[in-house]
């Protein structure tokens, strides 16, 4: 065992102790074992739009992967996204062609870097930026961690696939920091902040600092407001944020999100002859948005913005950004995803190609690229299935915990994955003994086999869907009046309701499943793997959407166990 894994194991044990069991979880033989997990997505948009040989699907990262940032070193591209209260945090992806992506790990994967144990599901880690500094051959990931006392922080590494440093705390206010390395080796940090005096609702500023790469500290007294308010000031723009600085043809470009993260979201750009301004806005702003379009259009993608651009190996520019796929009711259970478009930078200002007209579900491949999505370890796109029998002795990078590291409660055993139940109920803002996948389709199914013998009404294990601690639904095995029961429980705001239950006779493993067609959810179980019995009828899943539940995250589905069931 190497030092890193020894550290993780020790830290994990300490973390479990600090979380507390809050109940009698029994011995390992009493803990549930999960196996044969299958997630499958089947959205009509992909069925109706089959790919040609020279096409790929957009989004390139399906599920809740918002606020993307991208950088390039030589032939390698690296991309990161927000992760909120998920652990590990800040997923890191790698590509050599901008189409085919592998997840190579997380930037924040240990307790010294990530403290989200008491964070809400939409709190934690916001808006990371990844950059490569050719002057010291170092990668930097800078972000705002609104939990654990971190605030704005940075980690760095020589290789994004081999782990990142402990956090470097950065002492400035505001959110959405980005770092820029100039040709002369100087470095600057740019971020969103509040104005000295707010003149209208949503009035924010963009601030610049000099940054000392040798000491990893801000240079005191160098802070300067470079944009006050945003674009078209007479219209009182709101929430100028997510700034990035680029240098092209001797000029400095500042690109920002504007309009909030909802329906008015957009991307705008400014130019200056000097890094610290003055910056002049493009007369053609916004350069990316979907806010002006027909709300009744087909294959609707909304909220486009929060972008980062990179020059491709072909000399053309490309931009990644967040967007949201809405269902026919105008809701999204999937959350904000990562999309990509080519960028035309032949003039003074960059413009996203087709970024102001209805976005299509598929794009043309860059010249010379072969679509390998879903093959050879590359992440799939479109309609696909994900199967995990936990035979590899290491979790797939797509599995995450909420508020704690999965290593704190999972272990690989013969026949599957064992989860040690924590004493926290899923409705509590505490670390959960639950393993999650992001919902990646509007129409999906998720199932798992669980081998479990609950001993009391406090014991429960099964599958769950969750948007936050007040929007969740659980199908699990528990005890009631001495009988082993399958129970379906929904929590909506402060109300917990048992939607259905059924007695289980015998000791064989049970198959649990959820099937969703848009917002129509059906939960079922099988004791023989063939005949399924519905529990609770049809359930309206709209309460799991961001429209109803609020927040910044999409729905997650997963494997859940507790010794503190309070239903």
């Amino acid at each position: 065992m190497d030092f890193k894994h020894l550290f993780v194991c020790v830290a994990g044990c300490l973390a479990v102790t600090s979380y507390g069991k809050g109940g009698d979880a029994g011995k390992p033989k009493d803990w549930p074992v999960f196996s044969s997990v299958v997630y499958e997505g089947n959205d009509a948009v992909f069925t109706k739009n089959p790919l040609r040989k020279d096409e790929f699907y957009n989004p390139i990262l399906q599920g809740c992967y918002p606020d993307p940032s991208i950088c390039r070193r030589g032939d390698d591209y690296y991309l990161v996204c927000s992760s909120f209260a998920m652990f590990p945090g800040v997923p890191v992806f790698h590509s050599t062609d901008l189409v085919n992506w592998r997840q190579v790990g997380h930037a924040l994967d240990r307790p010294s870097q990530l403290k989200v144990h008491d964070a809400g599901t939409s709190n934690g880690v916001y808006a990371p930026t990844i950059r490569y500094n050719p002057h010291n051959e170092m990668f930097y990931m800078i972000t705002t961690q609104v939990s654990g006392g971190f605030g704005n922080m940075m980690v760095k590494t020589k290789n994004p696939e081999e782990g990142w440093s402990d956090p470097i705390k950065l002492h400035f206010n505001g959110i959405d920091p980005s770092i820029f390395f100039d040709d002369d080796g100087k470095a600057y940090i740019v971020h969103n902040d509040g104005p000295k005096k707010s003149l209208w609702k949503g009035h924010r500023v963009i601030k610049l600092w000099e940054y000392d790469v040798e000491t990893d500290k801000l240079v005191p007294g160098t802070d300067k407001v470079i944009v006050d308010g945003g674009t078209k000031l007479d219209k009182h723009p709101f929430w100028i944020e997510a700034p990035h600085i680029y240098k092209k043809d001797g000029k400095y470009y500042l690109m920002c999100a504007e309009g909030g993260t909802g329906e008015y979201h957009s991307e705008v750009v400014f130019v200056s002859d000097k890094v610290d301004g003055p910056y002049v806005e493009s007369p053609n702003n916004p350069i990316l948005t979907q806010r002006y379009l027909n709300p009744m259009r087909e294959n609707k993608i909304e909220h486009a913005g929060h972008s980062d651009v990179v020059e491709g190996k072909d000399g053309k520019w490309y931009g990644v950004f967040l967007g949201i796929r809405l269902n026919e009711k105008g809701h999204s259970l999937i959350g904000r995803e990562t999309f990509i478009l080519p960028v035309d930078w032949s003039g003074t200002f960059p413009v996203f190609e087709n970024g102001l007209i209805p976005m299509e579900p598929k794009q043309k491949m860059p010249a010379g690229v072969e679509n390998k999505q879903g093959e050879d370890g590359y992440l799939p796109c479109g309609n696909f299935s994900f199967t995990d029998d936990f035979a590899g002795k290491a979790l797939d990078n797509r599995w995450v915990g909420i508020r704690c590291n999965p290593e704190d409660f999972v272990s690989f055993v013969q026949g599957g994955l064992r989860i040690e139940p924590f004493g926290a109920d899923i409705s509590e803002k505490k670390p959960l003994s639950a393993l999650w996948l992001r919902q990646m389709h509007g129409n999906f199914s998720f199932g798992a086999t669980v081998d479990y013998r609950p001993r009391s009404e406090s014991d429960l294990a099964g599958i769950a869907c969750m948007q936050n601690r007040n929007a969740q639904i659980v199908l699990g095995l528990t005890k009631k009046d001495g009988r082993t029961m399958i129970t379906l429980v929904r929590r909506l705001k402060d109300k917990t309701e048992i939607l259905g239950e059924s007695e289980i006779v015998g000791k064989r493993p049970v198959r649990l499943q959820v099937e969703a067609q848009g917002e129509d959810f059906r939960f079922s179980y099988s004791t023989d793997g063939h005949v399924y019995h519905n529990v609770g009828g049809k359930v309206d899943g709209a309460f799991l959407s961001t429209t109803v539940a609020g927040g910044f995250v999409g729905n997650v589905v997963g494997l859940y166990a507790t010794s503190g069931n309070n239903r």
Side-chain angles (χ1 to χ4, degrees):
M1 178 181 289
D2 61 27
F3 176 79
K4 177 183 175 183
H5 288 92
L6 176 63
F7 175 85
V8 169
C9 290
V10 173
C13 292
L14 292 173
V16 171
T17 302
S18 66
Y19 299 156
K21 295 294 186 280
D24 182 8
K27 297 179 180 180
K29 65 181 178 64
D30 299 317
W31 300 343
V33 175
F34 294 88
S35 60
S36 303
V37 172
V38 179
Y39 171 98
E40 186 168 4
N42 186 25
D43 286 347
V45 61
F46 302 120
T47 303
K48 293 177 180 178
N49 293 275
L51 291 178
R52 296 186 176 92
K53 189 174 182 180
D54 62 343
E55 295 175 330
F56 68 97
Y57 282 127
N58 220 2
I60 54 172
L61 298 179
Q62 291 176 221
C64 182
Y65 293 105
D67 310 328
S69 175
I70 191 170
C71 74
R72 175 186 164 197
R73 180 187 63 180
D75 291 338
D76 298 301
Y77 302 93
Y78 289 95
L79 187 154
V80 296
C81 301
S82 291
S83 55
F84 306 99
M86 297 177 183
F87 202 127
V90 186
V92 181
F93 305 90
H94 171 260
S95 176
T96 58
D97 54 28
L98 297 171
V99 171
N100 304 299
W101 292 90
R102 288 189 177 99
Q103 186 173 352
V104 295
H106 293 80
L108 307 178
D109 62 1
R110 55 188 188 271
S112 64
Q113 302 169 309
L114 185 61
K115 299 186 185 301
V116 290
H117 56 276
D118 58 356
T121 53
S122 287
N123 296 127
V125 178
Y126 291 172
T129 294
I130 187 170
R131 289 292 182 264
Y132 176 67
N133 182 4
H135 302 284
N136 62 3
E137 299 181 333
M138 186 77 71
F139 288 89
Y140 293 75
M141 192 286 292
I142 183 170
T143 190
T144 308
Q145 186 173 162
V146 290
S147 61
F150 277 116
N152 291 296
M153 55 165 281
M154 181 188 294
V155 291
K156 57 184 184 178
T157 183
K158 289 284 188 178
N159 187 337
E161 302 181 34
E162 294 183 357
W164 296 71
S165 72
D166 274 348
I168 301 162
K169 190 170 181 178
L170 303 170
H171 300 281
F172 58 85
N173 296 321
I175 59 171
D176 293 8
S178 179
I179 192 165
F180 167 69
F181 301 103
D182 210 341
D183 299 335
D184 59 5
K186 286 187 176 181
Y188 302 86
I189 287 177
V190 61
H191 63 96
N192 160 294
D193 206 347
K196 288 184 178 181
K197 181 181 179 181
S198 181
L199 301 179
W200 61 83
K201 185 178 181 180
H203 179 193
R204 301 290 289 180
V205 304
I206 301 300
K207 187 177 286 187
L208 180 82
W209 296 78
E210 290 185 29
Y211 186 74
D212 188 329
V213 176
E214 296 299 323
T215 63
D216 282 320
K217 293 181 179 179
L218 299 170
V219 178
T222 60
D223 55 312
K224 181 180 180 181
V225 172
I226 57 174
V227 169
D228 189 348
T231 65
K232 301 178 177 62
L233 296 179
D234 59 316
K235 299 189 178 196
H236 292 176
F238 59 98
W239 280 101
I240 188 84
E241 59 185 348
H244 297 301
I245 292 178
Y246 313 92
K247 192 173 186 180
K248 182 176 182 291
D249 301 330
K251 292 185 178 294
Y252 297 88
Y253 291 85
L254 173 68
M255 206 166 72
C256 304
E258 190 179 81
T261 59
E263 60 184 321
Y264 291 102
H265 204 203
S266 68
E267 196 72 18
V268 297
V269 66
F270 307 78
V271 68
S272 175
D273 292 325
K274 298 191 301 180
V275 69
D276 61 350
Y279 280 88
V280 178
E281 67 179 271
S282 167
N284 296 318
N285 279 327
I287 59 173
L288 168 70
T289 192
Q290 298 283 283
R291 67 189 182 203
Y292 302 119
L293 304 177
N294 182 354
M296 304 305 293
R297 66 191 184 277
E298 192 177 9
N299 303 328
K300 186 163 55 173
I301 297 167
E302 294 280 17
H303 304 186
H306 200 118
S307 181
D308 197 6
V309 300
V310 67
E311 186 176 10
K313 292 181 286 186
D314 56 4
K316 189 173 181 60
W317 288 78
Y318 298 86
V320 292
F321 56 95
L322 71 82
I324 193 165
R325 290 182 288 150
L326 299 179
N327 62 23
E328 64 278 1
K329 296 182 180 180
H331 299 164
S332 174
L333 282 74
I334 303 172
R336 300 173 298 163
E337 305 174 284
T338 289
F339 294 76
I340 191 168
L341 281 177
V343 173
D344 183 349
W345 209 334
S346 58
T348 300
F349 292 100
V351 177
F352 283 76
E353 295 182 12
N354 299 324
L356 301 174
I357 63 175
M359 290 174 55
E360 298 292 336
K362 56 185 183 178
Q363 299 290 325
K364 289 290 185 182
M365 300 282 289
V369 177
E370 179 184 354
N371 189 337
K372 296 182 179 180
Q373 292 174 339
E375 304 173 7
D376 302 329
Y378 294 110
L379 292 172
C381 287
N383 290 328
F384 57 82
S385 62
F386 168 72
T387 301
D388 202 337
D389 58 8
F390 303 114
K393 305 308 179 186
L395 287 176
D396 187 285
N397 278 319
R398 285 169 283 189
W399 289 111
V400 294
I402 298 291
R403 304 188 193 98
C404 64
N405 195 330
E407 291 187 19
D408 296 342
F409 56 83
V410 303
S411 56
F412 293 89
V413 297
Q414 184 176 0
L417 189 79
R418 184 164 59 196
I419 293 183
E420 176 184 2
F422 288 172
D425 182 79
I426 193 172
S427 62
E428 297 181 87
K429 196 167 71 171
K430 296 179 179 179
L432 302 177
S433 45
L435 199 59
W436 303 101
L437 291 173
R438 295 159 171 88
Q439 180 180 334
M440 295 169 279
H441 299 82
N443 302 331
F444 76 94
S445 63
F446 175 80
T449 299
V450 57
D451 189 355
Y452 184 49
R453 315 287 184 270
R455 299 184 305 153
S456 73
E457 295 185 8
S458 296
D459 297 328
L460 183 144
I463 63 174
C465 301
M466 182 175 72
Q467 208 274 0
N468 62 44
R469 59 183 293 267
N470 284 311
Q472 67 214 205
I473 190 163
V474 176
L475 178 69
L477 285 86
T478 187
K479 281 284 189 180
K480 184 177 182 179
D481 300 328
R483 298 177 298 162
T484 299
M485 305 291 290
I486 292 281
T487 181
L488 181 68
V489 184
R490 175 178 62 190
R491 183 175 177 85
L492 177 56
K493 296 184 178 178
D494 294 325
K495 182 181 179 181
T496 298
E497 180 182 8
I498 296 178
L499 301 181
E501 54 187 6
S502 180
E503 184 176 3
I504 296 293
V505 179
K507 297 183 179 181
R508 68 185 68 184
V510 178
R511 184 77 181 172
L512 304 177
Q513 183 168 282
V514 55
E515 296 175 285
Q517 293 292 316
E519 296 177 4
D520 294 336
F521 280 60
R522 294 181 182 272
F523 294 82
S524 59
Y525 73 93
S526 174
T527 55
D528 62 7
H530 300 287
V531 179
Y532 281 81
H533 308 277
N534 175 258
V535 182
K538 183 174 70 175
V539 180
D540 185 354
F543 75 103
L544 296 170
S545 70
T546 52
T547 311
V548 178
F552 303 127
V553 300
N555 181 45
V556 291
V557 295
L559 316 174
Y560 165 61
T562 180
S563 61
N565 179 43
N566 61 16
R567 311 302 171 108

